[in-house]
Amino acid sequence: MRTILKLASVGAIALLCCARSVIAQQAEEPGGEAEKMGTAAEVKAEDKKAAAADESWLPGGLSGNVAIVTDYSFRGVSQTGRDMAMQGGIDWNHDSGVFAGYWASSTNFGNTYMENDFYGGYAGAIDKWSYKLSTTFFYYPKDQQFNYWEFGAFTGYDFDFLSLSTGLIGSPDYFGTLGTGFYVPMGVNVPIGAVTCPIPGMEDKKCFDLSFDANAGYTHSQLDIFANTHHYWDWNAGLVFALPFNFKLDFRYVGTSEADQVFDAGNRFVFAAKYAF
């Protein structure tokens, strides 16, 4: 049972506060920030911002994020017993494409109370194609049997009217207890519309930006994740509202192939309010 609860522990997106962009795919699943895939335009914008940053003590740019969510859903399974969570992190980006960061969330399974993600890697873009290589270490105080490493490769393409992303994440010791494992994420984001600000001095900025976001993923591990199964599917779909001053609201429906068998993997609505700085 403990293993089942742990897997209740990355969007998407989810696609919100990733190491390569503030608005990235799979932001609805913050865990494992290094797996979030930004579009080519977002990656280039982040590189430009990092190059322009005037950090005398550190090259590149720093950014941060905080959020409150009604349920920390990680790959479709609740990490908080379907209760609320507080989350936040800080990212460093260099215009060369190198990035690193730290992200944390409150949790409620086993003896843990907090998930800590330490990640880094390299991301870039060619025309409308984006790519990323990353590694993440998951650290759980008071229940370190669940600590583990993940390594990922991701790609995405922006067709303007929609963007697609996919990747492959592998671990030699998934969740510290399940043996070798891998996860295959897939995402699509469709911009719906934006409204420019009618505020003096902000006419060139967006006051409201709405998009539809959907994701799916396949998890496979060497040992059983749930009773009598070592693999499952997860999915989610919803609306993302980008607001002025770097605020964002995320409404989505989350589900898994084990919804009828496991409470924490059941179908449900998840809401998140986020702020980037």
Side-chain angles (χ1 to χ4, degrees):
M1 284 302 282
R2 205 174 190 183
T3 298
I4 295 174
L5 290 175
K6 167 55 190 104
L7 193 49
S9 164
V10 121
I13 119 246
L15 321 101
L16 258 306
C17 43
C18 87
R20 291 301 299 152
S21 96
V22 171
I23 305 173
Q25 295 209 0
Q26 297 178 324
E28 82 293 339
E29 294 182 339
E33 287 302 308
E35 75 183 61
K36 309 307 181 282
M37 190 71 237
T39 65
E42 292 162 351
V43 170
K44 292 175 182 178
E46 196 66 40
D47 287 344
K48 184 179 294 186
K49 185 168 62 176
D54 184 18
E55 301 286 350
S56 59
W57 61 278
L58 180 69
L62 290 173
S63 61
N65 58 84
V66 293
I68 182 169
V69 297
T70 58
D71 177 14
Y72 175 18
S73 174
F74 181 59
R75 295 172 188 169
V77 187
S78 177
Q79 181 86 334
T80 52
R82 295 173 69 162
D83 287 332
M84 297 180 66
M86 294 294 297
Q87 303 172 338
I90 186 168
D91 301 304
W92 171 80
N93 298 279
H94 192 268
D95 59 352
S96 65
V98 176
F99 66 88
Y102 165 77
W103 182 88
S105 175
S106 56
T107 59
N108 183 20
F109 64 86
N111 295 319
T112 73
Y113 62 92
M114 184 179 186
E115 174 186 320
N116 299 270
D117 300 349
F118 301 90
Y119 52 88
Y122 178 83
I126 300 175
D127 194 20
K128 296 184 178 182
W129 173 56
S130 55
Y131 55 90
K132 179 184 293 186
L133 297 174
S134 68
T135 182
T136 305
F137 179 65
F138 294 78
Y139 174 70
Y140 298 90
K142 292 194 174 181
D143 225 337
Q144 298 184 33
Q145 63 172 323
F146 295 130
N147 295 352
Y148 72 106
W149 287 91
E150 284 191 343
F151 305 90
F154 312 90
T155 187
Y157 194 86
D158 188 354
F159 294 91
D160 293 330
F161 65 95
L162 66 81
S163 57
L164 301 175
S165 65
T166 188
L168 176 63
I169 303 167
S171 174
D173 192 18
Y174 194 48
F175 276 105
T177 59
L178 301 178
T180 57
F182 66 86
Y183 181 71
V184 180
M186 296 161 280
V188 57
N189 185 273
V190 181
I192 296 176
V195 177
T196 56
C197 289
I199 303 173
M202 297 183 64
E203 293 86 350
D204 61 337
K205 299 183 181 299
K206 296 178 181 179
C207 270
F208 181 86
D209 195 350
L210 175 65
S211 63
F212 170 78
D213 185 70
N215 302 270
Y218 176 74
T219 299
H220 180 96
S221 66
Q222 182 179 4
L223 303 178
D224 284 350
I225 301 171
F226 306 110
N228 303 317
T229 182
H230 53 88
H231 57 85
Y232 75 99
W233 286 90
D234 70 89
W235 54 83
N236 64 79
L239 297 175
V240 180
F241 299 82
L243 303 173
F245 309 109
N246 297 325
F247 284 98
K248 183 171 290 188
L249 303 179
D250 190 301
F251 303 83
R252 68 184 61 237
Y253 189 70
V254 178
T256 74
S257 57
E258 299 300 310
D260 295 334
Q261 308 297 324
V262 182
F263 174 75
D264 284 343
N267 300 334
R268 61 207 185 274
F269 285 99
V270 176
F271 166 73
K274 308 181 182 185
Y275 172 68
F277 55 91

